[in-house]
Structure formats: structure tokens, C-alpha cells
Amino acid sequence: MAKQYWSLEKNALTQKVEKNEHHCDDIEMSGLYTDMVVYYGANEDGSLFLKQRLYFPTLRNIPNNTHATFCFPLNEDERVCLLYDDSPLVEYAQEFRLDGTLLAVSETECGVTVSRRFYPASDKKAAIESVTLRASRNVVLSPSHPRCTVHSYGRGTKGVYVNRIDHTFPEKIVLSSNEEQTFYIYYSSLLANEKPLELDGNDELLKRRERISSLCDDALVLSTASPELDMMLRFAKLRAGESIFETLTGKYHSPGGHAYYAAIWCNDEIEYAGPHFAMTGDKTAIEASINAYRAYIPFMSETYSRLPSSIIAEGLDVWEGAGDRGDAAMYLYGCSLFCLYLGDRGVARSLFDAIKWCAEYCERQKTPEGVIRSDSDELEGRFPTDGYANLSTSSLCYGGLIFAARLADSLGEYDVATEYRKRARSLGDAIESYFGATLHGFETYRYSAGFDTLRAWICLPLCMGITKRASATLDAMLSPYLWTEEGMLSCERSAENTTDTIWDRSTLYGMKCAFLSGAGERMLEPLLAYCHKRLVCGRVPYAVEAYPEGDKRHLSGESALFVRVITEGLFGLMPESFEAFSFVPNYYEKLGDMKLSKLHVCGGTYDVIVAKDEWTVCKDGRFIASGKTDGKRVRISTKL
């Protein structure tokens, strides 16, 4: 059992540092021009451990590739510290608090309590550290650096970049007993000879809190009998929505994780994040999603060449080193869902030709066996594949055709809708005949022809509505071959795969598929255990990318997928058209009455409440429908 370090407070997590406890972690926070990673914790002697890395997505290194975001690294011994009697003040870690900012509280031997709060600027190339000092007796301190320090510089595509540290400490900080004073440290990166930023630390904190509230309180607010589940969703909405950056070609959502900025991917942004953002009503996130979908259109050629896996460097370049990962199928599925959830006819019409292009591309990749050819999936060949056809690409194409057909109906293109449903039926049959297999006695799916190892992506057909093998597939997912304390293995251990690699993206898809296929009771305990581990144990407070690869980076797209475990999984939400959505009212004793408030879908704002005996739906605070909680899918007309 993993050790619990954190406790829940209202809208926050707190960690009281125990004596002789040595534990460190990091947290990532984003503004429109800055990504801030703070490493924090307690050293072996109990002293406060802090260092930072700041990323500036619009400042590009040379060569301007995927990983070319300019970084301002700041180690523990390079920070502005406080001096007492001309010696560095030793701070002993007492408490940490996460609420969309990071608060680190420490005590000192001279009787001063130091509270440091870290947060990015909302719309400037800067990050802020507020430092509040409270003295239990009279004391005089001083800063270790002058008010402005040019820390370092580097050269990039836009010229010379200069890293600055400015602070508001006076030369001598005089504190009386029980007096409290607050100062600010500003970290920024600018072009050489660019005018220094005018920053107000308190004003920037207010802006940060406004953004946190807009992401966490204005959409998809969950209330159940599980505080950890509710809080996990709150933090997931924050991580998913904050990682949006202003670039030369518009706002882009990007994965982050110390590596991926000012760029978009067909999986993270197109498939994962876009459908979630459509349900939030958040204008910034929706704008970023529309930008992402439109950014791929120039690559949809008449020759039907494959889409690039990612568009990088502020939209000026592409990366296509992984070949065809099934990116057109990802786009077909993600963009169709986005348009349906959003319910904006104009946006849908502007993107529908791109959706049709992706459907045609997939049709042209159909093999003689009737499945969809691609070189690999989003894991890009990390695990064995035949390079011919895989379960992931065909499943995404199937789901994409289903939702594209609903979208075509909504746009009055009925012949297109009929054709897509015909293709989906044919592809569903082909998935069953080509990928259906018995592995370790489970009537489930193989990943590619000739492979007899269980893979996490066996969950994808269930997520897309193919349920013939649902029960045995869930058995396989939850068996020791795949399920671990960390989540679902990407691939079971075998002669070809000797690592216990997990990617939360497939674990989260697996959780969603269990609820969608009517087996929510079987997945509820694993879901709650997952929330406990990710929220209050050793690597908090978000879903992670991969382990051991990536060392559990907090990529933003995984948090978007977690939200969809709740919306599309636990509540079974699904768009039916521009004028209707559906959900599945299932009651779980451990969760009690479930309420999902401020759901933005199909052009309206809804509250969905599932109680033991009855479900209720309200629109804009007004009751519109209710019924018996019986686990049967319910269709809600948005005209009510």
C-alpha cells in the first residue's frame, strides 16, 4: 500500500511534513506564456528543498523542433535566499499546500516563519514567488541578491533571450515581533533589449485564482460521497485546462510535462482534450481546440497522404517520425465528438470537410480483411506490432464513423450519414473476425495478427460500443496479466516485453469502458484506489503519462481523459445530435447520490443528478426531466 502524504481540505491538498521525513515531488503550473515546474520537499536533514524550471513556449531554441522550448533552470543554490547575520537562513519544511498554486511553509531557528507561494503569470512571460515573513521576535534579514539580476541568456530563433530575476525585498528587512510582511520575486525571460515587465505579484495571484475558478468551479462540478473522487476531478479539470499557450498561430493546448509546448498531437489534443473542452464551455479551451482541429486541415491533401503526428514550433513545422499512427482515425473520432458536444452548427460546418477527409483516408487504408491499416498506434511501436493493422486504429475509426454519422445527420447530410453507418457495421464485423481471439482463456482481442500477449488497448472496442466480448475483456483487463497497483500494464510481461510499463491513458480508457459496458461495479473500487494513489500519495495530484518511461510526468491530456472517465464513463454521457444527448443513470452505494453540475453540452448548461431511486436533469437551473434509476440509457432533448 502506497504511503499517504496528503490530506484533503476545501478545494486543496495539504501535507504536514513529519519529523525525519524525506520526500520530494514536483508540480507543474501554466499560464498563456509560461510553464512553471517547481520541485519541492524536505531534504534528509528536514531543510526545505526547492528548485524551479521555467519554460517559455514562444521563445524557441535552435533547431526549432518538438523540444525546442526555451528553459530557465533555477537550482536550489541559485535562488534568492534570505540572510541572517550574513549567513543563509536555513528553512525547515513544515507544510505544503496545493490549490492551483504551491504554498511551502517553513520554520527557521531565528523565529521567522516563511510562507512561499508559487504561481505563473496569467498572460506574461513570467512566474512569481510571493514570500510572506512572520516573526515571533524582533529580527533583521537581508536578501542574497540585488533587486535585479540578469541570471543567464541564450540564443534562439527570435534572437537573444535574457533570464531575469527581480524582487521587492529592501536591503534590510526589519521585522518586529508578530509582524508580517510580504515580498515578491519575479522570474522572467525576454528578448534582449525588450522592456522589462511591469508585474504586480498580488494582481497576478488574483488572475491565477480567477483562472483556477473558471476551470474548476464553472463547469463539470462533481458531488458524490467520495471526497477523493470529487477532488481528483477538480484537479484534473485544472491540469487539462491550464496547459494552453498563446503562439504565433493562435492559442494551442499542449501536453506540457517539461517537454511538449506550443505544439499539438492527434492523440493528446485532437482525441483526448477536444471532446472534454467542448463540455466545459470555457472560451479559451474551446478556441484552442478549434485551432488544433483547423491546424491539420492544410495537410489533408488530395493525394490522401498520412497526417503528421504533431504540429510543432508554434504551428510552423510538423513532426512525422512515427509514420502513420492512425492519426486520421484519432481526428475522425475526436473532432466528431467535439462538434457534437459543442453544438455549434457554424463550427461543425467549418470542420466537417476535414472529418470527411479523415473518413475517406481511413477507407483507403482498409485492408483485404476489412480493418484499417496503420504503422502503429500512439505508442509509436514501443511494444511489438506487425506494422500492418492494429486494434487501436480500427477501434478509433469505428467510433469515429458512429459519431461522424450523427454529425452528418445534424448537418442535413443524410446520404453521408447512411454511408458512415454502413462502413461502421462492416468495420465492426471485421474487428470481430480479425482481432477477436482467445488469450489466456479470455475471449477478448489481440492487438495485431500473430500476437498472443494481452495489451491494454483491448478496452478500446468496448469504449466505442462493441460489446460482444465485454465480460471476458474486463476479466482480462482486471487479471494479474494486466492490472497492477499502478494501473493497467500497456502490455503483459512476455519474452518480447520484460518491463512493467504503465500509461495512464490506456488505464483511463479501460476504466471508462467498464462503466460504458455496464460493469461499473467491477471498476468502482479500482477507480477509487486510483484516485487515492494519484491524489494523496507519492506523485500528486494528477493523472500521469508513463512509468518508468517519462517518470510519471503530469501531461495535460491524461487529465482530460480522467474527466471523461467521469462524464462519459460514470455518467455515460454521449451526444446524440445537436439537439439531444443521452446518459446512463446507474447508482453506486459507495458514491451515494451523484450530481454533475454545469455540464455544457449541445449549446446548453445542465445539471444531472442520479439518486438511488430517481434521476433528475435541470437546464439552466430549471427542472426539465426525471425518471427511474434503472441503468437504462436516457435521451434528453435540448429543446425542453
Side-chain angles (χ1 to χ4, degrees), residues 373-499:
R373 186 203 172 280
S374 67
D375 299 319
S376 64
D377 63 16
E378 61 180 67
L379 295 185
E380 299 166 5
R382 288 173 173 86
F383 301 96
T385 178
D386 63 4
Y388 177 67
N390 64 73
L391 183 63
S392 174
T393 297
S394 291
S395 298
L396 286 168
C397 181
Y398 176 88
L401 289 169
I402 295 293
F403 290 115
R406 294 182 185 181
L407 185 61
D409 274 336
S410 297
L411 292 172
E413 300 208 15
Y414 305 115
D415 289 344
V416 174
T418 299
E419 174 62 22
Y420 287 174
R421 289 190 176 95
K422 178 182 176 182
R423 292 183 190 180
R425 287 193 296 270
S426 174
L427 180 55
D429 292 341
I431 288 172
E432 173 65 25
S433 61
Y434 186 79
F435 295 109
T438 302
L439 304 177
H440 301 300
F442 301 112
E443 292 291 331
T444 184
Y445 302 95
R446 59 186 180 184
Y447 174 77
S448 296
F451 289 89
D452 59 0
T453 53
L454 287 169
R455 299 282 279 270
W457 286 136
I458 60 176
C459 66
L460 281 179
L462 280 64
C463 284
M464 304 304 159
I466 301 174
T467 59
K468 182 176 181 179
R469 296 173 180 263
S471 179
T473 296
L474 286 165
D475 289 341
M477 285 167 44
L478 293 170
S479 75
Y481 292 105
L482 287 178
W483 202 265
T484 74
E485 184 180 304
E486 285 289 350
M488 195 160 41
L489 295 178
S490 297
C491 180
E492 69 165 289
R493 273 185 167 267
S494 64
E496 295 80 19
N497 173 50
T498 59
T499 63

Side-chain angles (χ1 to χ4, degrees), residues 195 291 393 518:
K195 183 180 178 181
N291 288 341
T393 297

Side-chain angles (χ1 to χ4, degrees), residues 136-156:
S136 61
R137 60 184 177 86
N138 296 342
V139 67
V140 178
L141 305 172
S142 59
S144 61
H145 291 70
R147 281 204 160 196
C148 174
T149 304
V150 175
H151 188 273
S152 60
Y153 67 92
R155 290 179 174 85

